[in-house]
Amino acid sequence: YLSDQTHIIRYFDASLNLIALKMLTYESLPQHPTIEQRDLLTKTNISIRPNGDEVTQTVDTATSTDSFSTPLDANTVIDAGFDAYIRSQWDDLVRDRKPAVFKFAIAGRDMTIRMRVKSLAPVHGDKRFVVEPKNWVLRQLVPQIRLTYDENKRLAEYQGFSNIAPAVDESRTVSI
């Protein structure tokens, strides 16, 4: 995080070549970041802007530009906003081990998916969570996201699906 709470994420391939950039700013709820994402491999830019009761996304490729809006409320999590959402639900997730359910707005997609986050048993003092679709059928099709947080509630590891297109013959499942 930068001093103004801007968060810059750099994505690298296995050869350490920069393949994507994502900049998040937090102007309203922490789970509703404004996002600018640039995929250097596919030359795709995604802009995500929360605005009151809707989120507007613009997807700009070499051949087209598409814009769409989806409803937005306090229980909607936008892309990387899952981190802030988990920290906001921390006590309930860790103490009660009760799953939390939210709507997930995926970068570049004109839809939301109902997701749930569950606490897993800690390992070496680190807290672990799994994020997965609430719907059983979707759980069979969409891989889980596994998250590990350190003792300061900082995200230490992300294992799961990436919305950054991989280079040819590489998996969309990542470990960060």
Side-chain angles (χ1 to χ4, degrees):
Y1 289 97
L2 302 177
S3 61
D4 66 353
Q5 291 301 304
T6 297
H7 189 189
I8 298 174
I9 304 167
R10 293 174 182 89
Y11 296 84
F12 297 89
D13 65 13
S15 299
L16 299 180
N17 297 307
L18 182 66
I19 60 170
L21 294 166
K22 185 183 287 187
M23 184 172 69
L24 297 87
T25 54
Y26 302 88
E27 299 162 12
S28 59
L29 293 175
Q31 67 267 28
H32 296 167
T34 297
I35 299 173
E36 296 294 331
Q37 178 176 304
R38 191 168 70 203
D39 186 323
L40 303 173
L41 294 176
T42 64
K43 309 288 190 241
T44 300
N45 295 316
I46 298 174
S47 174
I48 302 173
R49 303 218 178 276
N51 185 17
D53 61 356
E54 68 179 15
V55 59
T56 302
Q57 295 194 48
T58 303
V59 180
D60 187 19
T61 67
T63 59
S64 68
T65 299
D66 294 316
S67 290
F68 47 87
S69 296
T70 52
L72 184 63
D73 61 31
N75 201 42
T76 302
V77 174
I78 300 171
D79 192 65
F82 71 82
D83 180 43
Y85 179 81
I86 287 173
R87 283 186 276 117
S88 75
Q89 302 294 314
W90 191 271
D91 290 337
D92 290 336
L93 288 166
V94 172
R95 181 186 60 238
D96 301 335
R97 296 183 60 103
K98 179 182 171 192
V101 177
F102 60 92
K103 293 176 282 187
F104 190 51
I106 303 166
R109 301 285 184 240
D110 188 8
M111 66 175 161
T112 58
I113 297 175
R114 287 180 49 86
M115 302 288 280
R116 68 181 182 190
V117 57
K118 298 186 302 184
S119 178
L120 301 173
V123 173
H124 306 296
D126 290 339
K127 302 292 187 224
R128 299 179 316 131
F129 302 92
V130 62
V131 179
E132 61 189 3
K134 185 169 184 327
N135 178 284
W136 182 86
V137 173
L138 284 179
R139 281 198 306 273
Q140 308 314 305
L141 302 171
V142 177
Q144 293 179 329
I145 298 170
R146 293 186 166 268
L147 307 167
T148 302
Y149 285 80
D150 67 17
E151 66 277 355
N152 296 313
K153 298 183 186 176
R154 289 184 306 212
L155 182 59
E157 185 175 15
Y158 173 103
Q159 293 178 322
F161 192 78
S162 173
N163 63 359
I164 303 296
V168 178
D169 298 328
E170 289 186 15
S171 173
R172 281 194 104 133
T173 301
V174 298
S175 181
I176 302 171

